Amino acid sequence: MHVAMTVNGREVSGDVEPRTLLVHFIRENLRLTGTHVGCETSYCGACTIQVDGAAVKSCTMLAVQADGATIRTVEGLADGDQLHAVQEGFWERHGLQCGFCTPGMLMSAASLLEQNASPSEDEIRHAIEGNLCRCTGYHNIVRSIEYAASKLRGEEPAPPDWTMDFEGVS
Amino acid sequence: MTTSISAMGGIVRRKEDPALIAGQGKYVDDIRLNGEAVTAFVRSPFAHARINSIDTSAAAAMPGVVAVYTIDDVRHLGPVLAQVPVGVMRPLLADGAVHHAGEAVAMVVAENSYVARDAAEAVMVDYEPLPAVVDMKAAVAGATKVHEGSESNVLVTWFSHDWWPGVFELVDHRPAIAEAKERDDVVVVSQEMTNQRLIPTAIEPRAVLADWNHGYNRVNLWSSTQMPHALAGAVAKTFGLPSNEVHVVAPEVGGGFGAKLNIYPDEILTVFASKALDRPVRWTETRREAAFSTIQGRGWVATATITGTKDGKILGYELDGIADMGAYSQNFTVAIPVLGLFVAQGQYDIPLAWQVSCVQTNTQTTDAYRGAGRPEASYYIERIIDMYAAAIDMDPADVRRKNFFKKEDFPATTAIGLTMDSGDYERNLDTLIADVDYAGLRAMQAAARAEGRYVGIGLSTYVEVCGFAPSVLAEFGFGWDAYGMPTSFSGSGLVRVNPDGSATVIIGTGPSGQGHQTTWAQVVSDRLGIDYDSVRVTHGNTAESPTGVGTFGSRSAAVDGAATYEAAEKVGGKAADIVAHMLEASAEDIRFADGGAHVAGSPGHKVTWAEIAEVAYKPHKGPDGMEAGLEAHAVFSPGNATWPFGSHLAVVEVDPDTGNVEIQRYVGIDDCGNRINPMIVDGQIHGGIAQGIGQAMFEDAIYDAEGNLLSGSLIDYPIPAAGDLPAFELGWTNTPTDVNPMGVKGIGEAGTIGSAQTIVNAVVDALAPLGVKHIDMPLRPRRVWDAIQKARG
C-alpha cells in the first residue's frame, strides 16, 4: 500500500505492507533511526513521536494509519543548530546515560511542555510514566525537563543539584 | 568549554550527548549493510522436553526465506563458551532436548524481519514434554533432574572458609559460632529470605550484525556487548581464526547492567550464517526474548542467622543458601555467588560462616545483573542485622556502628582472606545520621505512630568490591582464558597526540551509558592540558584498542581509567623532552596547561600542542635521537580491588488499608574515593538506587511450576516508572584508595547494592508496631497487605 505523510517538515511517501508498523516505516523506509524500538508492545515508550501534534507510541500505530499525517520525530526537534529546550535541558542536567530511551523521552517532554508551561515535579513524573528509563532513575530527567520549562518561559533555570566538592548532603 | 577541565571533581557536559539527543546515536539495530539478511529464532515453549523431530521444510519453502538451521548444522562449532565452565554448557541450538522455556531450537534467516518471524512460526517441532524442576529446594532434593542422566542438580557449594583451597588458609568459624550460641548472654536471630530473580531489562534489546568476508577470511561483528574483546576471542576460537581477524564493534549500547556481559548463541550463529550465506546477517532481540533468553539475575533463597550479645556485639553471622543457576552455565554463572562472598560480612568485623549451593533448574541461566552477588549478600546481612537490632531493642544504627571495622583497622583482612585497603565506615554513617537529622526523623516517626500512621525508617550500609584484582583472580575464573584471550582483568588506555595537536584516546572498555568519552577526556585533558574539546575517546572496538576487558563490576574508572592516566603520563614525559628542546629549558620544569606547555614560573614562555606535535612527527626538529610520534599505551593491572562503601536511608509510609508503600525520602551517602565527574557519579548512583528499589518494590521474574515465564513482558515485569520513585538526596564522603594513581574506586553498582534492603528495612520498621518481622520482596501492595492481615490475625 502507498502512504504519504509529512515528517519533520518533509513530504515523504513509500510502499508498505498493511501490517507495517509506523515505527518500522520511519526507521526502515525513511532511515530515521533516532526513533527506537524497545518493546513493540507500547510499554517502554522508546518509539514515542508526535503525530499531528500529539505524543504517540509509533509501535502501536500502522504506517497506513499515518497516511496524510504530520509527524515529528527526534530528528525534527532542533531548529537547525538551535537545540530544542528539552534537548538542551537533557544535556545540561545529565538527563540521559545510554541514550536509548532519550528520543522518546524528549518527545514526551516536548509534548508535555506544549500543554503545560509550568508543570510541577509530580506532573512531570506523571507525564513521562509511559517512557521507561533503566539508567537514570528519572531524577535528572525531571531536572532536565524543569530546566527546559524554565528556558521556554524565559526564566533562569534552577542550578543543578548534584553533589559538589564538599562532603555531606548537598 | 575550553581547557582547565579538572580531572578530579570537574563537571562538564557529556561528549556523548549531542549525538544522542539529536537521534544520531548509532546502536547496532540502526546500522544497515547492503544485502543483509535478518534472523529470527524458534524458541521452546517447554521448560523441559525431548525433541523428537524438527520439520523445517514449510518454513524453508516460504518466499523470502534464505535458510533454516538446526543443531545439525552447527553442532561442529561446539557449545557456547563460558569463562567459568562449571555445569552444563549451552548448545548453540537445542540438541535433542530443551531445558528451559525460551531456549533456541532453530534459526530462520530471511530477507526481512517480518518474513523471518512468519517463517519461525512455520517450523514444526515435535516436543515430548519431560518433568521440569523449577523450585530451587526441589532441585536440590533432586527427584527431578534438570539434565537427563545427571547425578545431581547441585553444581558446587561455596564455603566461606574454603572458597579457594590452596590459595587461602582460612579459619572455619563454625565451631566458635556454635559455641557462642550456648552462652546465656546471647540471642540468636534467624530468618529465611528470598532474593528473587530479576530480569535486567536494558531498554535497548540486544542486537548483532555479522559480516564475514571470505576474501580476507575475517569477520566484522557489531554487537550490543559489554565485552567486545572477549567476544572477538570467543568467535575466533569457535571458528578457528586468530583473534585479530575478528573485528568486534560495540557501538552505542543502550544499557547493559550485566545482561550484555555474556557470549550468546545468537552472536555465534549470526557469524555462522554470514559465513555460510556469504552475506551480512542481523539479529535483533524482541522484548520477550530479552526476558527469557537473555540472562537473568539474583534468584537466591537463604537463611541468615546472627548470634550476638544482648548489648549488640555480633559473635557470628551465618548464611546457608541456595542460588539458582538456571539450566545452563554461561559466562560467570556459578562464580556470581563468589562475588557475594567477597562482601558477605559487609562493613562488620565479625566471624563469618557462609555457604551457598549453586543449583540448576529448568529456567533461563542466571549471571551478572548489576551488583552480581553483592546485592544479594548485602541484602541478607543488612536485613538480619535489623532483625537482630529489633530483637535486642537497640537502634539499628548503633548496632551497626558497634560492629564496624574501625578506621584504624585498615588495611583490613576479611574472613575470607581478602584485604580491604581503605575504609572509614563510622564517618560515612555519621555523615548520614547528621545530615538527615536521624533523631529528628525518629521523633517524627514516633509522632506519626501516635496518630496511628505506619511510617518507617530504613537504614543500610554496604561494602562494594570492584575493579576485581589482583591478577591471580584470573586463575579463579576472573579473566577471559576460556575465550582464547588469557588476560587478567587489567585495564587498557592508549593516548595519542595527533600531528595537528588533537588527542585520540582509545580505551578497552565497552560502556553502555557510563559517559566514558567524557570522563577519559577529562583525565587526559587534565594531565596534558589539551583542550577538552580536542580530545576524542573511542571504546568498544577490538581493532582500535590493543586489549580490553570491557565494562562491568564497576571497574572502568579504577582500572582502564588508571591505564589511561598512566598512558597520558608517558606521553607527557616524552612531550616534556620535546618542549624542553623547543624552549631550551629543563624537562623537569615543563608544565602542561591551557592547550600547551610552558616553563614553570614563566607562563608566557610556552608552546601549543599543535607546535609540540609537529616536532614530534618531524623528528629533525626534535632532540637528537628522538623517536618520531607521540603516543603511549598502558596496561594497568591493579594490586588489589577497590572497596567503595556507603550508608543509605529511606523513609516510607505504608497505607494499612491497601498495603501501598510510599517512599517519602531516599538518602545515600556513598564513598567511591575521588570522583572524576560528580555529575556522572550522581547519575550512576541514581540509576543504581532505582534498580534496587525496583527489586524491593516491583520486579519479580516469576516461573510457574511447569517452568513457564509468567513475567515476560514489561506489563508483567514492571520496572520503576518516574512516578514510582522519589527524588534522591545524595551526599558523599571521600576515603581515597592508593591501589590506582587517581584514588578512584568505582560507582556503577553501589546504588543497587545499598538500596533494596534499605527499602525493606523501612517497610518492616513501619509495620513493627503490628509485629511484622519480615516480608519477602517485591513489596507489592498485595504482599504487604497480606503481611498486615496476618500480623493482625
Side-chain angles (χ1 to χ4, degrees), chain B residues 111-123:
Chain B
E111 296 295 343
N112 67 54
S113 62
Y114 285 69
V115 172
R117 289 194 206 180
D118 285 347
E121 289 182 10
V123 173

Side-chain angles (χ1 to χ4, degrees), chain B residues 97-410:
Chain B
V98 291
H99 297 97
H100 70 89
E103 183 170 355
V105 175
M107 177 174 72
V108 174
V109 186
E111 296 295 343
N112 67 54
S113 62
Y114 285 69
V115 172
R117 289 194 206 180
D118 285 347
E121 289 182 10
V123 173
M124 302 303 292
V125 185
D126 179 8
Y127 296 101
E128 181 182 332
L130 297 170
V133 57
V134 173
D135 179 75
M136 276 183 270
K137 291 178 182 175
V140 170
T144 304
K145 298 295 188 295
V146 172
H147 291 276
E148 316 76 62
S150 67
E151 290 183 7
S152 170
N153 293 320
V154 176
L155 297 173
V156 61
T157 299
W158 300 110
F159 292 95
S160 51
H161 66 277
D162 192 27
W163 67 280
W164 198 357
V167 175
F168 292 101
E169 295 291 326
L170 299 169
V171 176
D172 183 351
H173 290 288
R174 289 176 297 185
I177 294 172
E179 204 171 296
K181 285 178 179 169
E182 303 301 320
R183 283 168 49 171
D184 293 336
D185 62 338
V186 306
V187 296
V188 178
V189 181
S190 195
Q191 178 70 46
E192 181 180 289
M193 294 177 266
T194 296
N195 197 284
Q196 81 274 25
R197 256 188 197 245
L198 301 177
I199 300 173
T201 317
I203 305 298
E204 182 209 20
R206 293 192 309 104
V208 195
L209 174 59
D211 186 17
W212 190 287
N213 185 312
H214 284 281
Y216 284 110
N217 199 34
R218 64 174 60 153
V219 62
N220 293 325
L221 181 61
W222 293 260
S223 179
S224 53
T225 181
Q226 295 172 238
M227 45 184 226
H229 286 79
L231 175 58
V235 170
K237 192 172 176 183
T238 302
F239 292 91
L241 298 174
S243 66
N244 59 2
E245 297 294 1
V246 182
H247 180 191
V248 173
V249 178
E252 302 293 351
V253 176
F257 317 117
K260 296 169 180 171
L261 182 69
N262 240 289
I263 307 299
Y264 284 101
D266 41 78
E267 292 175 312
I268 304 299
L269 290 167
T270 50
V271 172
F272 162 79
S274 176
K275 183 183 182 190
L277 300 170
D278 196 14
R279 61 189 287 192
V281 174
R282 179 164 61 84
W283 176 71
T284 303
E285 181 182 66
T286 65
R287 180 52 54 186
R288 179 155 179 79
E289 288 177 307
F292 72 178
S293 60
T294 283
I295 63 101
Q296 301 177 350
R298 320 265 195 270
W300 291 25
V301 60
T303 298
T305 304
I306 280 182
T307 302
T309 64
K310 289 168 185 166
D311 64 353
K313 184 68 188 166
I314 296 172
L315 303 175
Y317 168 55
E318 297 162 274
L319 190 81
D320 185 356
I322 313 168
D324 192 344
M325 302 292 106
Y328 296 107
S329 291
Q330 291 187 205
N331 189 36
F332 290 132
T333 306
V334 300
I336 297 302
V338 177
L339 298 180
L341 181 57
F342 284 5
V343 295
Q345 71 197 81
Q347 299 189 343
Y348 314 109
D349 185 7
I350 54 177
L352 175 74
W354 204 83
Q355 65 179 74
V356 171
S357 294
C358 298
V359 65
Q360 292 186 317
T361 57
N362 289 111
T363 60
Q364 168 60 359
T365 297
T366 62
D367 207 310
Y369 167 56
R370 200 171 195 166
R374 291 155 289 169
E376 296 92 314
S378 299
Y379 180 79
Y380 284 108
I381 189 160
E382 291 295 320
R383 277 293 300 127
I384 199 67
I385 209 166
D386 252 37
M387 297 180 72
Y388 169 56
I392 60 172
D393 196 23
M394 193 166 164
D395 188 275
D398 294 335
V399 174
R400 285 174 168 83
R401 193 181 281 110
K402 185 160 186 164
N403 292 283
F404 277 161
F405 280 105
K406 308 296 183 211
K407 183 183 179 185
E408 55 272 21
D409 294 337
F410 291 92

Side-chain angles (χ1 to χ4, degrees), chain A residues 85-114:
Chain A
V86 294
Q87 292 172 307
E88 184 184 328
F90 274 64
W91 194 11
E92 291 287 342
R93 290 293 178 267
H94 192 28
L96 63 152
Q97 291 182 26
C98 82
F100 195 80
C101 77
T102 306
M105 199 67 83
L106 291 169
M107 299 310 292
S108 285
S111 298
L112 165 69
L113 298 181
E114 284 164 14

Side-chain angles (χ1 to χ4, degrees), chain A residues 28 98 134 163 166-167, chain B residues 27 32 427 675 699 732:
Chain A
E28 306 293 338
C98 82
R134 194 60 156 165
T163 54
F166 56 87
E167 297 193 355
Chain B
Y27 302 82
R32 291 288 180 273
R427 188 166 71 97
R675 304 183 305 165
E699 300 176 32
W732 65 308

Side-chain angles (χ1 to χ4, degrees), chain B residues 427-695:
Chain B
R427 188 166 71 97
N428 181 266
L429 179 61
D430 287 348
T431 302
L432 175 71
I433 295 294
D435 285 347
V436 300
D437 180 16
Y438 185 71
L441 282 181
R442 287 292 179 196
M444 176 276 290
Q445 179 186 37
R449 281 181 174 167
E451 296 170 12
R453 290 161 54 206
Y454 294 90
V455 171
I457 300 164
L459 194 65
S460 172
T461 69
Y462 71 88
V463 178
E464 178 174 7
V465 51
C466 43
F468 304 125
S471 82
V472 68
L473 281 174
E475 310 309 329
F476 190 83
F478 295 102
W480 298 143
D481 298 48
Y483 306 138
M485 305 286 271
T487 58
S488 68
F489 282 167
S490 52
S492 175
L494 188 154
V495 175
R496 175 188 306 134
V497 176
N498 301 307
D500 66 351
S502 65
T504 298
V505 179
I506 302 170
I507 55 179
T509 63
S512 49
Q514 295 88 344
H516 289 184
Q517 294 178 41
T518 302
T519 307
W520 272 250
Q522 285 181 256
V523 171
V524 172
S525 175
D526 183 76
R527 299 318 299 165
L528 298 179
I530 294 182
D531 188 299
Y532 169 80
D533 290 335
S534 297
V535 182
R536 171 178 170 158
V537 180
T538 65
H539 47 61
N541 191 317
T542 64
E544 293 189 353
S545 183
T547 63
V549 165
T551 293
F552 56 91
S554 308
R555 64 178 298 282
S556 297
V559 191
D560 292 80
T564 306
Y565 177 99
E566 292 195 338
E569 292 286 286
K570 289 186 194 177
V571 168
K574 179 170 182 180
D577 288 340
I578 294 171
V579 176
H581 176 80
M582 294 168 75
L583 297 179
E584 298 181 339
S586 168
E588 299 85 69
D589 295 333
I590 302 304
R591 302 287 180 273
F592 296 101
D594 299 329
H598 63 270
V599 179
S602 178
H605 201 39
K606 65 181 182 182
V607 291
T608 66
W609 270 105
E611 291 165 338
I612 301 168
E614 180 179 356
V615 174
Y617 287 92
K618 289 178 178 172
H620 66 277
K621 292 189 167 188
D624 286 345
M626 181 193 75
E627 184 185 359
L630 194 48
E631 71 174 66
H633 177 228
V635 174
F636 181 73
S637 184
N640 192 359
T642 59
W643 303 85
F645 55 91
S647 308
H648 286 199
L649 179 141
V651 180
V652 304
E653 181 162 359
V654 179
D655 180 342
D657 295 329
T658 63
N660 189 58
V661 174
E662 182 195 2
I663 303 172
Q664 296 177 332
R665 288 185 73 183
Y666 195 99
V667 187
I669 306 288
D670 299 280
D671 192 321
C672 61
N674 291 326
R675 304 183 305 165
I676 300 169
N677 186 328
M679 175 188 85
I680 286 176
V681 169
D682 276 10
Q684 289 297 307
I685 299 169
H686 291 158
I689 293 170
Q691 289 184 10
I693 292 176
Q695 173 165 26

